[in-house]
Amino acid sequence: MVPLSHYLILSAALFAIGMFGALTRRNAIGILMALELMFNAVNLDFVAFSRYLPQTMLQGQIFAIFVITVAAAEAAVGLAIILGLYRNFKTVNVDEINLMKW
Amino acid sequence: MKLVVLVPLLPLLGVLINGLFGSKIRGRAHLIAVSASGLSCLVAFLVFVRAVGGEGLDWDLYSWLEVGDFQAPIGLLVDPLSAVMMLVVTFVGFLIHVYSIGYMHDDRGYARFFTYLNLFMFSMLVLVLANNYLLMFLGWEGVGLCSYLLIGFWYEKQSAADAGKKAFVVNRIGDAGFLLGLFLIWSTFGSLKYADVFKAVDPALGTGIYTAITLLLFVGAMGKSAQLPLYVWLPDAMEGPTPVSALIHAATMVTAGVYMVARSHPLYNLAPFSLDLVAWVGALTAVFSATIALVQNDIKRVVAYSTISQLGYMFLGAGAGAYASAIFHLGTHAFFKALLFLGAGSVIHSLHGEQDIRRMGGLWKAMPITAWTFLLASLANAGIFPLAGFWSKDEILFNAFERGLTVPWLLGLVGAFLTAFYMFRLFFQVFTGPFRGDAHVGHHLHESPPNMAYPLVVLGLFSVIAGLAFGFPPDQGLYHRFVAPVFETAHETAIEMAHATISSQVGMAALSLAIALLGIGLAYQFYIRRPELPSALAERMKGVYLLLLNKYWVDELYQAIFVDFGKNVCRFLWGVDSRVVDGAVNGSSWLTVRLSLLSAWNDLKIVDGLVNAVADVIQGGSLRLRRLQTGIVQNYILAMALGILGMVVIYLFIFP
Amino acid sequence: MTQAFNMADLSTAAPEVILSLVAMLILMLDFIAPRGKRDWLGYLSILGVLLTLIVLIRRWGAPQSAFSGQYLSDPFALFFKIVFLISAALILLMSIGYLKEEGVDKGEFYGLILFATLGMMLMASAVDLLILYIGLETMSISIYVLAGFLKRERRSNEAALKYLLMGGFSSAIILYGIVMLYGLTGATGLKEIASGLTRGGGQLSNPALILAMVMLAAGFGFKIAAVPFHMYIPDVYEGAPTPVTALLAAASEIAGLAILLRVFLVAIPGLQDRWVLLFYVLSLLTMTVGNVVAIAQSNIKRMLAYSSIAHIGYLLIGLVAGRPLGISATLLYTLAYALMTLGAFAMVILLCVGEVKGERIDDFTGLAQRSPMAAAAMLIFLLSLAGVPPTAGFVGKLYLFGAAIERGYVWLAVIAVVNSTISLFYYMKVVMAMYMRDLPPTGLALSSSRPLRVALFVAAAGTLVIGVYPGPFLDLARASVAGLW
Amino acid sequence: MTVTQAVFYILAAFTLGAAFLVVLATNIVHSAIALVFTFFGVAALYILLDAEFLAAVQVLLYVGGITILLLFAIMLTSRISARGVKILNEQAGISALVVFAIFALMAYANLRGIVPAGSPPPASYATASLGRLLLTTYVLPFEAVSILLLAAMVGAIILARRDREKD
Amino acid sequence: MNVLQFPILSLIAYLPVLGVVLIFLIPKESRGAIRWTALAFSLASFVASLWLPAHFDAATADMQFVEQFSWIPSLGVTYHFGLDGISIWLVMLTTFLSVIGVICSWESITERLKEYFAFLLVLETGMLGVFFALDFFLFYIFWEVMLVPMYFLIGVWGSDRRLYSAIKFFLYTLFGSVIMLLGILAIYFHHGSQTGAYTFDLLRLMTVSYPSTPLFTLLGVPFSFQDLVWLSFFLSFAIKVPLFPFHTWLPDAHTDAPTAGSVILAGVLLKMGSYGFIRFNLPMFPEATRHFVPMIVVLSIISIIYGAMVCMVQPDMKRLIAYSSVSHMGFVMLGMFALNMQGVQGSIIQMVNHGLSTGALFLIVGLIYDRRHTRLISELGGLSKQMPVYATLFAIIMLSSMGLPGLNGFIGEFLILVGAFRVNYVWAAFAVTGIVLGAAYMLWLYQRTMFGALENPKNAALKDLSPREMSTLVPIIVMCFWIGLYPSPFLSRMEASVKNILTRVNKVHTAEVDPSGSGLEAPALSSVEGCAEPCRSGPPQMHPLAALPSLEPR
C-alpha cells in the first residue's frame, strides 16, 4: 500500500509545476493550463485524504467534484475572455498586454 | 479736594473734542485746548491752595486691575510733592499752550497739534497724581507716546519720524526696567500703592532687594530723563516743534524720572548704593552733556544738552538724598528752561526756521522782549544770584558736599562753570554783535506776536523770583516747609545740617556764584572782546574740539559695543535689543537684520524644510513604489508568490 | 438520509433563493426585451434587491443554520448581506445610466451583478469551506465577465484577463489551504475544523497547519487586496466599467473580508497569537503602501483603487484588535467604507459623458461652479474617506483606532493616523480641482441619468447620517458580532 | 515493493513528466496534448485511490471538455505554431527559485505535519453514496454550483459572441 | 444651571447655520440679499451671545447654561454644551469678530459670494461649537469641522500661493488633531477601565486622575501615561497656537487668506490652541503639566523673541503681522504656564486682546490691500497725509498691540509678566525683551507705511475710510479702550473658573511649582478673598529672588 505522504509529495510537485507555469508562460492560454494543473494537484490531495483518513464521509471526493466543475467553468470564461481580448490586441502574450500600469 | 480729578480730565476732554471734530473746527482748535489746560491749571491752583492748607488726598476712583491677590486701583494722590508737580505742569503747560497759538498758527496739523498737547497734559498729570506705581506707569508710557507723536509731528520729514521712534524705543528700554521694578516691588510688598508699599518698607528685608528695586526703577528714570547712557534720544527730539521741546523735553516729561526717584525715596533711602549711583550718574551726565553743549551750533541743541545736564543736577541732588532740593530745582528749571526754549523758538520763528547760531547775531534790537527774557533765563540757568537757578542748584551742590560726595560735587562745580560759559556763548552769539544771517531774512526780523511774547514775560518773572520767593532761606523756604512732611527723613538731616554749618553754606554759595561769573566772563572774553579766539582755540585743540562736536562718537561707540556683544551668544538677546534701538533709529541695523534674516531663513529652510522634506520623501516613495506596478500580470503573481514564501518562511523558521 | 429539499432550509435561505430567482427572471426577460429599452430590467433588478433586503431584515434574530449545518444565517452574515445588498442596489442605480452612456444594451449586466451579489451572500453565510469556495467562485466568475463587459474597450479586456488569471491563481492557493485543513481534521465545516484541531492537541505549531493558515491568508488577502497581493487592483479598477469597479471596491473586497473574519475567527482561533502578528504587518504595509502610492496618481479610478487598498489596511486593524470591539469596529467601517466609496465612483460616472471619461482628476476642474450640489456630495465622500468628521468615515476610524488603543496597539494606531493625514493630501487634490480652479471654457458636461443622482444622494445622505448619528449603526455592528463565537 | 506501489511510481513519473511538458513545451499545441496526458495520469491515480467515479468525471470533464475548449482557443488565437518566439517570460529564473522553495516548504510541511492515521479503512465502492450525498447533504453546493455554471455560461456567451450592433 | 429655559448656547451656535440654509435658497444673482442675510445672522448670534455675560454667574466655577442630551449611548457620547469663565469671553470674541468678518468682506469679495458667506457662517458655528463643547467627541467634531471652511476660505478666495497655503494649513492642523484623537481615546479607555463607565464627557473624565508614574525614560526624561497623553494634546494645540517649532503654517495661511479669513484665523482659530491647553491639559493632567512647564516656557520665550525678530525683516505687512501673532501667542502660553492667577487670567485676557488687536491689524492691511492690491511695505509710505483717519485708527491699534498702558494689550501683557515674574524673574526678563522688540517692529512698520513723504504716485489718490470700513474698526477700538481702562468686568467673570483650574493643577506639593506665592491660589484659595489689605504671599524673606533655584528650567 502506498503511503499517504507519497501522494502528498506528488501533488505538491504538481502544484509547484503549475505555479511555475503560471509564473512564466507568456501565452495566456498556457497560464490557464498551468492553473488547471494546480487544481488537479489540489484534487489529488483531496481524494488521497478522503481515502486515507479514517471515518470520512467522502467529503474529499465531493469537494474534488465541485473543484473540477468550477475549474471547468472558470476555464470556459477564461477562454472567452482571451478570445475577446485577442480580437482587440491581436496577441495573447500577457507581457504584451500592459496598457495599464503605474 | 476731589476736584483734583478734573485736573487730568479737562485736558482729556480737550483731546476727545479736538480728536473727534478737529478736522471740522481746524482753526479754532486752540480755543478748546487752551481753555482746557487753562481751567485745569486753575483747578490745580485751587487744589494746591487747599493742599498748602494741609489737606491731603489718597483716593481710589475704582479698582483697575484686580486679579487674585494682585490689585491696582485708578487712584489719585495729592500730597505736597504731587501738588507742586501738578502746579508746575499745569502752569507751564498752560503758558506753552498759549505760546503755541502763535507759533503753530499756520501749520496744517493745527488741530492735531493741540490734541497731542492736551493728551500730553493728561498723561503727565496722571503720572504725577497717580497714587500707585501702575497708574504712574500708565502716565509714564502715555507721555512717552505723546513725545513720540509730537517729535514726529512733521512726519513727512524723515529725520523727524526717525527721531520720534528713537525716543519711543529708547524709552521703552527704560520702561522695561521700570516694569521689572514694579514686579519686584509687588512681589516683595504685595502691593503697588505708594501708601502700602512705603508702609511695608522695613530694613529687615536687607538692602539687596531694595538695591535691586531702586536700580530697576532708575533704569526707567535714565530712559525717561535722558541720563547716561540712555540720553541719546533727547538731542534728536529737537526735531519736534519748539513748544514741544519746551514743554516735554525741558519742563515736564524729562523730569518725570526725577519725580519718580523722589517719589520712591523711602526705597532709595534704604539702598545707599543706588543713591550713590544716582548721584554719580547725575554728576557725570551734567558735565558730559555740558561739554558737548560747549561747541554745538544749533540753538535748540545747545539748550537740549543744557537740559540734560540740568537733569543731571537734579539726579545729583536726589542721589544726595536732598529730594526736596531736586524737586525744587526741577521746578525752577521748568521755568527758565521752558523760557529758554520758547525764546529760542521765537528767535527761530522770526528767522523763518533758521537754527544755526553762526547765522544769527545782533537780534537784541529786533526783538527786545525775547532778548531780555532770554538773558534772565540764561542767568538763572547759569545760577547767578539771586535768580531761581542759583538757589536750587546751590542747594543741590551743598547737599552733595555735605553728603560727602566730594567728587560728584566737584563735577557739579565744573558743570556750573561750563553751564555759565555755554549759556552766554549762546546768548552773545545770538543777540549781540552783527547779524550774520542772509540779508533778506535780516530785513524781516520782528518781535514775536503778543500771544508768544506774554508767556515769555511771565516765565521770565518766575525765573527771577521763584527761588527767592519759595526757596529762601535755603532748605527752609516756603517750599521746603511745604514739602517737608513728604521727605521728613531726608529733610531733618538737611535741617540740622543747615543749622550746623550755616557759614559753610554761605561760603559754598559764594564759591559756586564765583565760578558761574567766571564762566560768563570767559564767554564775554571769547565772543565779545576777541571773537577770533574760539576758532583759534578750536584749531589748537582740534582733537578735543572734534570729540565734543561729534558728541564723543557715542552713537558709533554703541554700534561697536553691541556688535561685539552680539557675537557673544550669552549677550545675544541684549545685543539684539540694543541693536534694535539704533537699528530702528537709522532704519538699518545690520546685526538685527542679519539675525532676523537668519531666523527668517531658518524659518523657511529648517523648520519648514523638515516638514517639506518629509513630504518630499513621501512623494518620492510614491513615485518609486508606483514603478513596481509594471502592468505585467505575471509580475503581480510573482509578488504574490513571494509574499506567500515570505510568510511561510517567517512562520516555519523565524518564529516557529 | 434527509430529503433533498425541505422547506425549512429553503425558508432559512429565502433571501438567496429570491435573489437567484430574480436573476434568472432578468436573464429570461432579457430575451423578450425590445432593443434599446432595457432600463426597466435594471429597475426590476433593483426591486428584486430591495425585496431581498426586506426579507433579509425580517429574518433578523437568533442564528439559524440550514442545509445540514453548511449554511448559517446569523447576525454577522445578515450584516454583511445588508451591506452587499445596499451596494448592489446603488450599483444597479449607477449602471442604468452608465450602460446608456457606453452604448451597452445588454440585460445580462444586471443579471451578472445579481449573481455576484448572490455569491457574496453565500460567502457571508458559509460555515462550510465548500459553500464558501463555491460562493467565492460564483462572485469571482461573474465579476470576471463584468470586468470584460465593454468588449470594444481594450482596457476592459485587459482588466478582465488580469483579474481572471490572478483570481484563478489565488483560488488555487485558497484550495490548497482548504485541503490542508481537511487533511488535518477530516472536516470542511468551520466548527468541526476548530474542534478537530483542538482534539488534535499540540497541533498549533504543526507546519501543515501553518501552511494552511498562510495559504488562506494569502488567498483571502488577494480578495481583499492586501499588500502584497494587491497589485492587480489598480489595473482592474482602471480597466473595468466603473460600476463594476464600484462592485469590486465596495462589495467584493468586503465579501472577502467577511470570509476572512469568519474563517480565522471560527476555524482557527487557536492560532490567534500567530495570525494577529501576520495581520498587524499586513495592515501596516497595506495602509502605508496604499496611501503613499495614491499620492502619485492622476487617474481618479486608480487613486480610488489605492485609497481602497489603504482602507483595507484600516479594516485589518479591527481584526488585529480582535473580539469584540475590533471586529464590530471592522463591521461598522465596512458599512461606512461601502457607502463613501460607492459615492465616489458614482461621481466618476456622473462625469463620464462622451469623450470625457471623468477619470482624470482634471476632469473635476470647476465642478463647484458647474454644479455645487454634486461638488458638495463629492466633498462629503472625500472628507469621509479622509476621516474628517462629521462623516461616516470619521466614526468608523474613531472606532477602529479606539479598538487598537484599547488593546494597546498604540503604534499601529499612530501609523494609521499618520496615514490618514497623508491620505488627506491626495483627496484634497480633487477638492482643489473642484473648488479652487475655474471652470474650463469648454464647460463641464454631467450625465443626465436620474437614478444615478438618486444613488449619489443616498450615498451622501448615508455617509452623513452615520457620521452625525452613529448610535444605531454602532449597536447594529455590536449585535452582529455577538453570535460569532 | 508491491505492484500497486510500482504502478503508483510509474503513474507519478508519467504525470509529472507530462506536467513538465505542459509548462515547458515550446509549441502551445504540444503542451495542450501533454495536458491531456497529465489529466489521464491523475485519473489513473484516482482509480488507484478507489475513486472510480471521480476518475470518470475527470476524464469526461477535463479530457472531454476543457482540453477541447483549450485547443479551440489555441487554434483561434495563435498563428499556427509560431516558431522561435520564446515561450517563457524573463522572470523564469527567479520564478524557478521561488517555486522550488515553495515546493520544498510544502513537502516539508506535508511530511512533518500530516500524520498518516494508521491504515486506511477498507475500500468501499462509494459511487452510489456519492450520488446520494450530492443530492442530500450537499444539495446546497449542488444548487449553488449550478447557478455558478449558469453565470459562467451566460458570461462566456456574452464575451465570446461578436456583437451584431457594430461589425 | 441654565438660567434660561431655552438652550441659548445651541441657539447661538446654530443661528449661523440657519443663515447658511437661507443663503442657499437665495439666487446667486441677488448679491445684496446674500450679504444682508449673512450679516443678519452673524449679528443675530452676536446679539444672542450678549445674553451670556449678562446672565453669567461670576461666583461659581461650574459650567453654566448647560445643555446635555444623550447622543451615542453605546459610546458614552453626549451632546453636552456649557460655558464657564474661560470660554465666555472667547465666545463673545468669536461672535463679535464674525460680524466684523462679514462686514469687512462686504465689497472686497466679488465672486462666488454665496459659497463665501456660507463658509464664513459655517466656520462661525464650528468655532462656537469648539468653545461650547464639553464632550470630547463633540469637541473633536467641531474642531475638525472648523478646518474645512477655513481651508476653503484660504484656498478659494485667497491670494497668490493660496493652494499651497490652504493645503499646508489643513495638513498641519489635521495632523495635530488626529494625534490628539489618539490621546482622547487613551483617556477614554483608561477612564472606562477605571470606573467601568465609558464616556467622552469632559467633566466626568476629569473626575479620575490619570497615572503619572513613569512608564519609561527617554534621554533621561521619565514619561508617564499622563505625559504621553499630554504630549498628544500638546502637539495638536501647539500647532494651533502656534508655538515655536510648529508655527510655519501660520505666515503662509495668513498671507494668502482673504481679509476676513486672516481676521478670524488670528482672532479666534489661534485661540483654539491656547484654549485647549487651559481647558484640557492643565486640569486633566496636572502632574504632566508641571512636568512640562520648563519645556513650554522655553518654547514660548523663543516664540516671543524669535517671532518679534522675524517681524523685523518682513517686506510683507500681512506676513509681519502673522509673525507678530507668533510672538503674542508666546506671551499667552508663558502666562498660562506660570500657573498662577495673574498669569492664567492674563493669558486669557491676552487671548481676547490679541484677537481684537491683531484682527484689527489684519483689517487695516485688508483695507489698504483693497485699495492698492499690494501688501508690500515698500510700496506704501506717507499714507497718513492722504488718509488721516486711517492713520489714526492704525496708530491706536498699533499701540494696543504694543501693549501701551490704557489699552487692552497692556492689561494682558502686564498680568502675564507679573505671573511669570513671581515664578521666575528670568522668564519675565526675557519676555520683557519681547515687549521692547514689539515696540520696535510695530513703530517701524507704522513709520514706513504712514510716515515719510508720499513718494509713490500710486498712493496719491487713495481715498480715506468709508463709513462701512470704519464700522469694522471702531467697535474693536472701543473694546480695546474698555478692556484697557476697566477690565474688571472681564477679569471678575473668569476668576472663579481660573481658580478652580489652578486648584486642580497645583493640588499636589505646590511648593515645587511656585514657592513665592502662586501656590497660594491652590490651598489658600478661600483665603484670597479673605485678606482685605494687600495680601502678602508668604513671609517677606520668601521673595522670588530667594526662591529661584528650584524653578530654573530643569
Side-chain angles (χ1 to χ4, degrees), chain A residues 80-92, chain C residues 151 154 157, chain D residues 77 157-163 166-167:
Chain A
I81 289 175
I82 292 175
L83 285 179
L85 183 107
Y86 181 74
R87 285 204 203 97
N88 293 333
F89 282 80
K90 299 287 172 262
T91 175
V92 289
Chain C
K151 289 190 290 183
R154 306 172 83 203
N157 307 132
Chain D
T77 55
I157 293 169
I158 289 174
L159 291 179
R161 180 185 58 194
R162 293 178 172 279
D163 317 7
K166 42 179 204 312
D167 42 38

Side-chain angles (χ1 to χ4, degrees), chain D residues 109-160:
Chain D
N110 281 318
L111 293 178
R112 287 280 315 286
I114 310 293
V115 279
S119 64
S124 61
Y125 293 96
T127 313
S129 51
L130 259 184
R132 213 176 296 107
L133 276 177
L134 270 180
L135 288 180
T136 53
T137 316
Y138 292 98
V139 64
L140 178 61
F142 190 80
E143 297 300 329
V145 88
S146 59
I147 287 188
L148 180 149
L149 287 172
L150 174 62
M153 187 178 68
V154 173
I157 293 169
I158 289 174
L159 291 179

Side-chain angles (χ1 to χ4, degrees), chain B residues 367-416:
Chain B
M367 31 203 327
I369 304 175
T370 314
W372 273 110
T373 48
F374 202 92
L375 176 57
L376 289 176
S378 312
L379 289 169
N381 196 8
I384 302 302
F385 182 85
L387 294 162
F390 168 77
W391 301 102
S392 47
K393 188 198 285 181
D394 180 48
E395 265 179 42
I396 288 173
L397 290 175
F398 172 72
N399 282 304
F401 181 78
E402 288 294 329
R403 210 44 182 3
L405 299 163
T406 323
V407 182
W409 172 69
L410 285 174
L411 287 173
L413 288 181
V414 177

Side-chain angles (χ1 to χ4, degrees), chain A residues 52-73:
Chain A
Y52 277 77
L53 288 173
Q55 92 290 319
T56 69
M57 294 166 47
L58 302 172
Q59 286 140 318
Q61 292 196 29
I62 303 271
F63 216 117
I65 294 173
F66 284 110
V67 172
I68 293 174
T69 330
V70 171

Side-chain angles (χ1 to χ4, degrees), chain B residues 279-299:
Chain B
W280 274 92
V281 169
L284 284 172
T285 313
V287 177
F288 179 79
S289 49
T291 50
I292 298 180
L294 290 177
V295 298
Q296 296 302 316
N297 289 323
D298 179 328
I299 180 169

